[in-house]
């Protein structure tokens, strides 16, 4: 079975380490905050100027001056700090964020990522995504492995305008956990019940498959 | 206005001197921390041909989106322009020029502009459409592009509190682009929730010193929320 959105988030959450500063993109990455393992401390960075993002507010706590990068109302965790956008991107571009999780339309074997524009169709802008992929060393891309029509999103070469060049090393899809190195995809894990053959079928770029591909623990 | 007193009492006075084809730098992230009354005043003035630099362009009926129906904006420099149907229509029809700029690059362009730095190198955007036409340089083994900084004829800013001298304090994530915008305007106009006497703000806690501020007006804010999200009880 392909992973659900929540299972994707759960698997990403297993990569969190105690003391990590983490930036979570909009969509599935946001759900990762619900699965932070017990006993570890993680500080969430929101690029509009908040380090130490808390949970969503109760009705009484709603404050129009306190939102996340997805423009949702949020709260501040204990020990939070507030700052302006230049400071926020100094953290991001200066490589101070330990883990970045974001979505994408396509990735390719050279670590290129396309996530912000479909010419003629969707032109909303890159927001902070280009800064995040250029500034972070440790990035996990979460996406579906293929489109609804079965077209692979893991390609030899991205077809859409790039968000970043050569910056992606880890991709978690609904079918597989994949590492990108030496110009190839490397299959690390498969979703429970998903076969290696299914993954090969839906991966357009060159995929290296080891003899034993463990199932994800989700 | 006299001496260091930056307070004006009307929006006409606040935006006096804004003319067609000028560049306006605006603070705000989405609808959070936007100078609502100053935008409304620009709409009222009907100033046209504006180049606006702002992270977003408001929604159809609020924020900078108010300047779209009468085609007051010629060009927008922004990182994210979703959530706005009229914007999309004008962009697709070629009536509105859009320069999509990565969020961190946009913040740095304003910061650098206000600090007298004409351009800077950044890795953000290398190998993407953003790099087209820009100088590329390899520094210590990594590729960077040259981004020029931004200044405006006007900057419009929203702060929480100010004293009459224009020292500013921002609140929560309503700070966002406002401090950088404040530095990047030839004329910086700030709309605030509360104006106090000099000496009442703790100098340790002032985010933006009054030297950057030319005019100050007390506004009434709707503070519309884009994505009202609550946790289940």
């Amino acid at each position: 079975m392909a992973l659900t959105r929540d299972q994707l988030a759960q698997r990403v959450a297993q990569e969190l380490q105690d003391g990590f500063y983490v930036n979570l993109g909009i969509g599935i990455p946001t759900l990762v905050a619900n699965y932070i393992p017990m006993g570890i401390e993680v500080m969430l960075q929101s690029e509009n100027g908040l380090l130490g993002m808390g949970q969503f507010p109760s009705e009484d706590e709603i404050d129009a001056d306190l939102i996340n990068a997805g423009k949702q109302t949020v709260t501040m965790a204990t020990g939070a700090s507030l700052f302006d956008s230049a400071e926020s991107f100094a953290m991001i571009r200066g490589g101070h964020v330990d883990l970045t999780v974001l979505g994408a339309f396509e990735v390719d074997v050279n670590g290129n990522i396309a996530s912000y524009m479909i010419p003629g169709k969707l032109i909303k802008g890159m927001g902070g995504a280009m800064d995040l992929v250029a500034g972070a060393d440790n990035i996990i891309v979460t996406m579906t492995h293929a489109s609804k029509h079965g077209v692979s999103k893991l390609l030899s070469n991205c077809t859409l305008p790039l968000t970043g060049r050569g910056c992606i090393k880890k991709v978690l899809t609904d079918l597989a956990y994949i590492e990108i190195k030496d110009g190839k995809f490397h299959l690390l894990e498969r979703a429970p019940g998903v076969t290696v053959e299914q993954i090969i079928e839906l991966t357009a770029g060159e995929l290296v498959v080891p003899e034993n591909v463990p199932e994800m623990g989700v | 206005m006299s001496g260091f007193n930056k307070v004006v009492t009307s929006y006409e006075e606040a935006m006096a001197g804004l003319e067609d084809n000028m560049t306006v730098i605006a603070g705000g992230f989405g609808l959070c921390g936007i100078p609502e009354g100053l935008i409304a005043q620009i709409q009222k003035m009907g100033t046209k041909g504006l180049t606006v630099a702002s992270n977003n362009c408001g929604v159809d009926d609020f924020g900078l989106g108010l300047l779209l129906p009468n085609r007051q904006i010629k060009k927008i420099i922004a990182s994210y322009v979703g959530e706005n149907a009229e914007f999309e229509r004008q962009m697709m029809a070629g009536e509105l020029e859009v320069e999509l700029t990565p969020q961190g690059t946009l913040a740095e362009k304003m910061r650098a502009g206000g600090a007298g730095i004409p351009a800077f190198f950044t890795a953000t955007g290398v190998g993407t459409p953003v790099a087209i036409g820009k100088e590329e340089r390899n520094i210590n083994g990594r590729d960077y592009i040259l981004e020029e900084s931004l200044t405006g004829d006007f900057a419009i800013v929203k702060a929480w509190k100010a004293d009459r001298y224009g020292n500013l304090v921002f609140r929560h994530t309503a700070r966002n682009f406002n401090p950088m915008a404040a530095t990047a305007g030839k004329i910086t106009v700030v709309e605030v929730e509360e104006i106090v006497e000099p000496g009442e703000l703790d100098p340790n806690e002032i985010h933006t010193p009054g030297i950057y501020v030319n005019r100050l007006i007390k506004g009434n804010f709707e503070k519309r929320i884009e994505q009202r999200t609550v946790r289940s009880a």
Side-chain angles (χ1 to χ4, degrees):
Chain A
M1 280 287 288
L3 298 184
T4 63
R5 290 163 58 86
D6 276 283
Q7 286 175 315
L8 277 159
Q10 268 178 291
R11 179 62 192 85
V12 172
Q14 292 169 15
E15 301 296 308
L16 298 172
Q17 291 177 28
D18 201 15
F20 259 19
Y21 295 102
V22 180
N23 183 291
L24 301 176
I26 293 163
I28 291 166
T30 306
L31 299 174
V32 174
N34 299 333
Y35 297 102
I36 297 168
M38 291 289 278
I40 74 164
E41 284 192 313
V42 165
M43 190 86 80
L44 301 178
Q45 203 256 16
S46 187
E47 64 260 30
N48 56 318
L50 168 61
L51 184 61
M53 183 165 55
Q55 55 188 346
F56 291 127
S58 66
E59 282 287 346
D60 297 342
E61 290 169 336
I62 285 182
D63 187 331
D65 288 339
L66 192 55
I67 62 169
N68 64 17
K71 286 132 192 168
Q72 297 171 305
T73 45
V74 290
T75 58
M76 291 184 276
T78 304
S81 57
L82 295 155
F83 35 85
D84 64 51
S85 301
E87 179 88 54
S88 180
F89 282 91
M91 294 173 193
I92 291 166
R93 294 150 71 117
H96 304 279
V97 175
D98 297 302
L99 174 66
T100 290
V101 186
L102 77 174
F105 301 140
E106 298 173 345
V107 294
D108 71 27
V109 293
N110 293 310
N112 297 323
I113 173 172
S115 69
Y116 85 102
M117 191 202 273
I118 302 173
K121 257 186 172 167
L122 178 87
I123 309 175
K124 292 192 168 186
M126 67 292 283
M130 282 193 183
D131 304 285
L132 283 159
V133 297
D137 193 43
N138 191 12
I139 303 168
I140 299 176
V141 170
T142 60
M143 60 195 283
T144 53
H145 207 96
S147 74
K148 276 178 290 195
H149 311 294
V151 180
S152 179
K153 298 181 181 180
L154 285 82
L155 309 174
S156 301
N157 285 105
C158 288
T159 62
L160 296 168
L162 295 185
T163 308
R165 186 174 76 190
C167 47
I168 305 303
K169 294 174 198 148
K170 296 268 178 75
V171 184
L172 178 68
T173 75
D174 53 343
L175 304 183
Y177 193 31
I178 283 169
E179 188 180 9
I180 302 173
K181 64 175 180 195
D182 308 324
K184 291 173 187 139
F185 294 124
H186 296 259
L187 184 56
L188 300 180
E189 297 174 16
R190 59 198 167 82
V194 170
T195 65
V196 168
E197 288 68 33
Q198 285 174 292
I199 294 165
I200 292 170
E201 169 83 27
L202 289 171
T203 307
E206 184 176 353
L207 178 69
V208 177
V209 183
E211 204 153 308
N212 176 35
V213 182
E215 272 193 7
M216 286 175 211
V218 287
Chain B
M1 281 190 286
S2 66
F4 295 117
N5 182 17
K6 310 288 172 71
V7 179
V8 298
T9 51
S10 73
Y11 282 101
E12 288 77 10
E13 217 180 328
M15 292 310 296
L18 181 72
E19 291 169 10
D20 289 356
N21 305 313
M22 280 186 164
T23 296
V24 178
I25 313 254
F29 183 95
L31 301 180
C32 183
I34 57 170
E36 298 176 16
L38 300 178
I39 294 167
Q41 176 61 23
I42 297 173
Q43 182 190 27
K44 198 172 142 195
M45 289 163 73
T47 319
K48 288 210 168 31
L50 296 172
T51 295
V52 175
S54 166
N55 189 53
N56 317 91
C57 196
V59 295
D60 275 319
D61 63 339
F62 199 62
L64 289 170
L66 293 175
L67 306 184
L68 292 170
N70 291 325
R71 307 273 310 277
Q72 291 178 261
I73 301 177
K74 178 181 67 183
K75 178 181 175 180
I76 178 110
I77 302 166
S79 87
Y80 188 82
V81 292
E83 350 294 355
N84 193 323
E86 174 60 15
F87 186 98
E88 205 169 323
R89 192 200 64 72
Q90 289 188 17
M91 177 171 66
M92 292 300 195
E95 298 168 8
L96 175 66
E97 191 186 338
V98 180
E99 188 176 317
L100 289 176
T101 303
Q103 197 174 136
T105 295
L106 182 61
E108 195 63 18
K109 276 170 170 270
M110 293 183 194
R111 198 196 69 78
I117 296 166
F120 55 91
F121 282 103
T122 178
T124 299
V126 169
T128 78
V130 166
I132 293 168
K134 289 172 187 161
E135 182 184 336
E136 200 161 319
R137 191 181 299 183
N138 187 288
I139 302 172
N140 296 326
R142 192 163 183 207
D143 292 330
Y144 299 89
I145 52 173
L146 186 68
E147 291 280 5
E148 290 186 9
S149 65
L150 262 174
T151 54
D153 298 296
F154 272 75
I156 56 173
V157 167
K158 193 269 167 180
W160 178 30
K161 288 192 244 184
D163 64 23
R164 285 190 292 106
Y165 289 179
N167 293 310
L168 307 179
V169 178
F170 303 93
R171 184 170 179 275
H172 295 352
T173 55
R175 191 179 329 180
N176 56 64
F177 283 80
N178 281 297
M180 283 78 66
T183 67
K186 283 196 196 97
I187 298 176
T188 290
V189 189
V190 186
E191 190 180 17
V192 297
E193 294 177 47
E194 189 184 350
I195 299 175
V196 301
E197 287 303 307
E200 285 187 43
L201 298 175
D202 180 349
N204 283 304
E205 291 175 0
I206 287 166
H207 296 129
T208 293
I211 191 169
Y212 298 110
V213 176
N214 300 97
R215 302 171 191 168
L216 192 63
I217 187 164
K218 185 181 173 312
N220 292 303
F221 295 87
E222 177 186 331
K223 292 197 186 182
R224 194 182 293 186
I225 293 172
E226 257 177 281
Q227 305 281 342
R228 191 183 182 86
T229 317
V230 294
R231 65 172 179 267
S232 36

